[in-house]
């Protein structure tokens, strides 16, 4: 069973746009941490600069693996920190990146399942009826999203 292409084509891009919040928060927190390490005093202007740059930079870096590192590097140079400060977080960034990616995938597939539930569309791309307790499993580059299992279990994830 699959989710119809029009539903997936509408909801997945929207969820991509709204899933940037975790990366923006992570970027701002890392820059804040590095500012504390280098004993740079905080000000409202500096905080606003960090948040605005984080929102703008993550928009372009969201589709790049470990793109937050590039965004953090740009923000570090904008607030007067040495770019070499990024090396303090590179060892753990890969783990945080995996967590952010997993959370984004989970929320995107959950958004598709909720969209199907709210629209009342229970038909799949193959014409079969979608069960009310469906789990969404999306594959990268797929033409449709396969649905199976139960949402009550809370297990939503990627399958190729």
């Amino acid at each position: 069973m699959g989710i119809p292409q029009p539903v997936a084509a509408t909801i997945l891009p929207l969820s991509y746009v709204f899933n940037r919040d975790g990366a923006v928060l992570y970027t701002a927190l890392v820059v804040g941490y590095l500012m504390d390490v280098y004993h740079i005093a905080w000000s409202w202007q500096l905080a606003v600069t960090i948040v605005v740059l984080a929102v703008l930079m993550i928009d372009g870096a969201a589709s790049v693996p470990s793109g937050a590192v590039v965004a953090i590097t740009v923000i570090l140079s904008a607030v007067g920190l040495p770019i070499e400060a990024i090396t303090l977080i590179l060892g753990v960034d890969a783990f945080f990146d995996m967590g952010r990616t997993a959370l984004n995938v989970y929320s995107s597939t959950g958004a598709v399942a909720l969209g199907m539930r709210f629209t009342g569309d229970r038909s799949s791309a193959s014409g079969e009826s979608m069960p009310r307790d469906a789990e969404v499993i999306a594959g990268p580059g797929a033409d449709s999203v396969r649905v199976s299992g139960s949402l009550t279990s809370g297990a939503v994830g990627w399958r190729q």
Side-chain angles (χ1 to χ4, degrees), residues 2-10 12 125-126 137-146:
I3 292 179
Q5 180 63 26
V7 174
T10 302
L12 288 177
S126 62
I137 301 173
D143 291 337
S144 66
V145 180
R146 201 169 52 106

Side-chain angles (χ1 to χ4, degrees), residues 51-100:
V51 170
V52 169
L53 285 175
V55 169
L56 293 174
M57 291 302 300
I58 290 301
D59 192 23
S63 61
V64 177
S66 296
V69 173
V70 176
I72 292 168
T73 305
V74 170
I75 297 170
L76 288 178
S77 64
V79 297
L81 284 169
I83 295 174
E84 295 80 21
I86 196 74
T87 58
L88 294 174
I89 62 142
L90 283 180
V92 296
D93 182 67
F95 300 108
F96 291 137
D97 190 39
M98 288 183 243
R100 287 190 311 268

